[in-house]
Amino acid sequence: MKKFSAKSGGVSRRRVLAGASAIAGAAITGFPMIRARAAQTLKVGTYGGYFKDSFDQHIYPDFTKETGIEIESIAEPTGEAWLVQLDTAAKAGVAPADISMMAQVTRLKGENAKLWAPLDEAKLGNSKNLLPNFVGRYGDNSISSIGAVSWYITLVTNTNVYPEAPTSWKELWNPANEGKIGLLALVSNSFLLEITAKTWFGGTDFLSSEDNIIKALEKLAEVKPNVALWYRDEGQFQQALQAGEIPMGQYYHDVTGLAASEGQPVRSTFPVEGGVLDSGSWCVSKASQAVDEAHVFIDYMCRPEIQSTLSRKVGTAPTVKRELLDLSPEEFASVASDIEPIIPRYDLYASRDDWLNQKWTEMIAG
């Protein structure tokens, strides 16, 4: 696998995706000049820096060589700014990008606004390779989005402080870990509600009512004496984890594995309840004039060998079924797990974000 800095590209592209709701309501007054489209050109938006550079180097050239479709690579702005920009442009009948990689909450908000062009399942034969949770659908069962990349949040520990690996998320509640834990600070990117529901209440379906969400928050509040750091700066937690100052917490599986491979005393563990599987999806603007080319690109990205390339070169977890991949057991373990994952309840953050943020502040962060 290509190595990347845990303090730069590997984290920055995740911060863009997982932290999307932190920039809700960002106003965009304009959008890039839409230049005349060359024949067989497709504008694809991904996150800037390392992430965009990796696609430019490892994915787009081979796609163009095979299909003849040129890729105009677009660096998306962060958070919901891109959603607003796409919506504004679509109302003017233009598309800053034909295809965009969207975080799940912004994907759902765009879906609710009918911003995404419905995709023709007959033109996406490789979509059958995907795990079911990576195929988004409108109410009429037409496809609204296709999973692009994914990654895991797991239980991480300093191996000097914890010689034995923990096995369950229940360790976050263990009184023996008082003052030893670092957790992500936001309700919308920590997915601690889902972790609590899976660990103590049988699964994330428990979160389907406000009363039950309150019960989950009350249970989660029990971890507060154990938490030394509610972090937004991922580098801050990583340094404290490596130094043993905050020897346990939640963090990104692949970045932790990279640090371990470089000799740091850290490990990533998939608890018996599962790691949290977060992801980004391909969405096609309804204003795009290249919908046919978009189908070709998305179908290409659903190939097992392309997902394997992303795992090796970009460090993302595959969106296709494990048995279809040519990843070695070691390569697969460096980015994913066969344990059934915890899938975030993105619908809650798309529909109840204000209420959830209020309750989070009152009961957890306050």
Side-chain angles (χ1 to χ4, degrees), residues 182-353:
L183 299 176
L184 284 155
L186 302 177
V187 65
S188 57
N189 74 348
S190 66
F191 307 117
L192 285 164
L193 271 176
E194 290 89 338
I195 290 171
T196 304
K198 183 67 177 291
T199 303
W200 299 102
F201 298 103
T204 60
D205 287 347
F206 179 78
L207 301 173
S208 295
S209 73
E210 290 188 354
D211 286 346
N212 282 354
I213 291 172
I214 294 297
K215 291 177 183 177
L217 285 168
E218 289 172 344
K219 183 65 179 180
L220 179 59
E222 295 175 9
V223 309
K224 291 168 70 174
N226 291 357
V227 180
L229 177 68
W230 293 95
Y231 69 90
R232 297 178 186 236
D233 180 345
E234 295 161 18
Q236 179 188 11
F237 172 66
Q238 184 185 346
Q239 291 173 7
L241 175 69
Q242 292 172 179
E245 296 169 0
I246 304 176
M248 178 181 286
Q250 59 172 169
Y251 200 51
Y252 298 103
H253 171 66
D254 56 344
V255 179
T256 306
L258 172 62
S261 73
E262 294 175 345
Q264 296 295 336
V266 296
R267 74 163 70 85
S268 170
T269 301
F270 283 87
V272 293
E273 300 88 1
V276 177
L277 183 60
D278 198 7
S279 62
S281 291
W282 297 120
C283 300
V284 178
S285 168
K286 66 180 180 182
S288 172
Q289 299 300 307
V291 174
D292 288 341
E293 292 88 345
H295 278 83
V296 174
F297 177 82
I298 292 173
D299 197 52
Y300 179 87
M301 295 304 299
C302 292
R303 292 183 185 177
E305 66 269 24
I306 302 305
Q307 286 294 313
S308 292
T309 295
L310 286 171
S311 293
R312 292 186 177 109
K313 302 295 186 181
V314 188
T316 53
T319 58
V320 305
K321 300 166 187 173
R322 170 73 177 98
E323 62 268 20
L324 301 177
L325 300 163
D326 65 354
L327 296 174
S328 69
E330 294 76 19
E331 288 174 325
F332 183 78
S334 71
V335 295
S337 170
D338 289 318
I339 298 175
E340 182 181 353
I342 299 172
I343 305 298
R345 287 290 305 269
Y346 301 111
D347 57 312
L348 299 179
Y349 308 110
S351 63
R352 303 184 187 181
D353 51 343

Side-chain angles (χ1 to χ4, degrees), residues 31-35 37 43 85-98 115 285-289:
F31 41 84
M33 292 290 292
I34 308 301
R35 62 182 178 85
R37 178 189 301 280
K43 293 176 291 187
Q85 191 165 338
L86 288 171
D87 187 44
T88 301
K91 290 173 181 175
V94 292
D98 300 298
L115 178 57
S285 168
K286 66 180 180 182
S288 172
Q289 299 300 307

Side-chain angles (χ1 to χ4, degrees), residues 78-231:
T78 59
E80 293 203 6
W82 188 236
L83 180 68
V84 175
Q85 191 165 338
L86 288 171
D87 187 44
T88 301
K91 290 173 181 175
V94 292
D98 300 298
I99 306 174
S100 297
M101 187 183 294
M102 304 299 294
Q104 295 308 313
V105 174
T106 49
R107 172 189 70 80
L108 281 173
K109 290 182 177 181
E111 184 178 298
N112 292 339
K114 298 294 191 292
L115 178 57
W116 316 130
L119 302 177
D120 185 348
E121 197 159 359
K123 296 180 180 178
L124 298 172
N126 288 320
S127 65
K128 67 181 183 298
N129 299 326
L130 297 180
L131 295 164
N133 56 288
F134 290 120
V135 180
R137 295 183 184 272
Y138 283 117
D140 63 1
N141 207 42
S142 63
I143 294 178
S144 60
S145 63
I146 289 288
V149 294
S150 63
W151 58 90
Y152 281 89
I153 297 171
T154 56
L155 184 59
V156 299
T157 45
N158 180 289
T159 55
N160 291 332
V161 179
Y162 293 95
E164 296 293 326
T167 60
S168 170
W169 286 112
K170 289 182 179 180
E171 287 302 315
L172 299 182
W173 283 263
N174 187 338
N177 294 320
E178 182 176 356
K180 294 181 178 180
I181 290 173
L183 299 176
L184 284 155
L186 302 177
V187 65
S188 57
N189 74 348
S190 66
F191 307 117
L192 285 164
L193 271 176
E194 290 89 338
I195 290 171
T196 304
K198 183 67 177 291
T199 303
W200 299 102
F201 298 103
T204 60
D205 287 347
F206 179 78
L207 301 173
S208 295
S209 73
E210 290 188 354
D211 286 346
N212 282 354
I213 291 172
I214 294 297
K215 291 177 183 177
L217 285 168
E218 289 172 344
K219 183 65 179 180
L220 179 59
E222 295 175 9
V223 309
K224 291 168 70 174
N226 291 357
V227 180
L229 177 68
W230 293 95
Y231 69 90

